[in-house]
Amino acid sequence: MNALRPVPRTLLRDRAYEAIRDAIVAGEIEPGAVVRDAELAERLGLSRAPVREAFSRLVDDGLLESKPQSYTRVTPVVAADVRDAAAVVGALHELVTRIAVPLLRDKDVDVMRAANDRFAAAVRAGDVDAALRADDELHDVLVRVSGNRAAAATVARYTPLIRRLERRRFGEGGNCRSAGLHERLIEACAEGDTDGAVRVTADIWHTLADLADAD
């Protein structure tokens, strides 16, 4: 993965933010690494202004820490921070699941099944990027169908903190998420079983909280 590549001139602030965020989550920029706006601006083919704005957002997200006139660096992976993020993101996934299940159409469930197939194949192949991408695609169906923009924005903001630890576990040969749990979630969704889908969603996110406790 090479997240730090030149980006189009449109939506520069957002594109700079996404590129640097993805590089941090992927470990391309490691925990503790000092980042410099001039250096990253050159690598991204941007001016320094959108990179500085991206830095500010990433500090708010907990992926960077900054000391004025001294340094800006990538934060370490801290179990307590991951656990807090997992609690918030998990609660919101339960919320959107409760809203979305009665609204799901057959084609939405088909998208979830296809995403889980890709997830399982990626886990077997040891392809971390593909596995986490497929996981996002599966859960994003419920976020999208729910129509709750506040939940979607908060999930997008705090999920990267969790992903860093998940990626490390995958790299160590672990499996942070279960295709079997996904299958249970999909079946509950297909049956219109809102309470069952919410219970499985809670199980998925409790697994991630346990992952942080074990770190």
Side-chain angles (χ1 to χ4, degrees), residues 24 29-35 63-65 71-77 164:
I24 292 171
I29 308 176
E30 297 181 350
V34 173
V35 293
L63 292 173
L64 291 179
E65 57 188 2
Y71 61 78
T72 300
R73 65 189 178 196
V74 179
T75 57
V77 179
R164 289 205 293 170

Side-chain angles (χ1 to χ4, degrees), residues 124-143:
R124 289 193 298 269
D127 188 337
V128 179
D129 290 327
L132 295 181
R133 187 164 55 249
D135 185 81
D136 281 337
E137 291 167 0
L138 189 158
H139 292 284
D140 282 352
V141 171
L142 296 168
V143 175

Side-chain angles (χ1 to χ4, degrees), residues 47-66:
S47 68
R48 294 170 69 175
V51 173
R52 288 173 177 165
E53 293 182 44
F55 281 5
S56 179
R57 288 178 64 183
L58 290 162
V59 168
D60 290 341
D61 291 352
L63 292 173
L64 291 179
E65 57 188 2
S66 183

Side-chain angles (χ1 to χ4, degrees), residues 103-159:
L103 304 175
L104 288 171
R105 294 171 291 180
D106 289 344
K107 68 178 184 179
D108 297 316
V109 177
D110 289 343
V111 171
M112 295 174 72
R113 291 191 195 281
N116 196 37
D117 288 343
R118 291 193 296 275
F119 173 82
V123 170
R124 289 193 298 269
D127 188 337
V128 179
D129 290 327
L132 295 181
R133 187 164 55 249
D135 185 81
D136 281 337
E137 291 167 0
L138 189 158
H139 292 284
D140 282 352
V141 171
L142 296 168
V143 175
R144 172 180 55 79
V145 172
S146 78
N148 190 315
R149 295 175 63 184
T154 305
V155 166
R157 177 176 181 179
Y158 289 108
T159 296

Side-chain angles (χ1 to χ4, degrees), residues 1-64:
M1 180 176 179
N2 183 16
L4 292 174
R5 58 186 182 274
V7 298
R9 301 297 298 182
T10 57
L11 302 175
L12 297 183
R13 292 177 298 178
D14 292 340
R15 297 301 297 274
Y17 167 79
E18 291 168 2
I20 298 168
R21 178 201 63 196
D22 291 350
I24 292 171
V25 172
E28 186 177 336
I29 308 176
E30 297 181 350
V34 173
V35 293
R36 297 176 176 83
D37 56 5
E39 177 185 338
L40 291 184
E42 182 177 359
R43 292 177 66 181
L44 292 168
L46 300 173
S47 68
R48 294 170 69 175
V51 173
R52 288 173 177 165
E53 293 182 44
F55 281 5
S56 179
R57 288 178 64 183
L58 290 162
V59 168
D60 290 341
D61 291 352
L63 292 173
L64 291 179

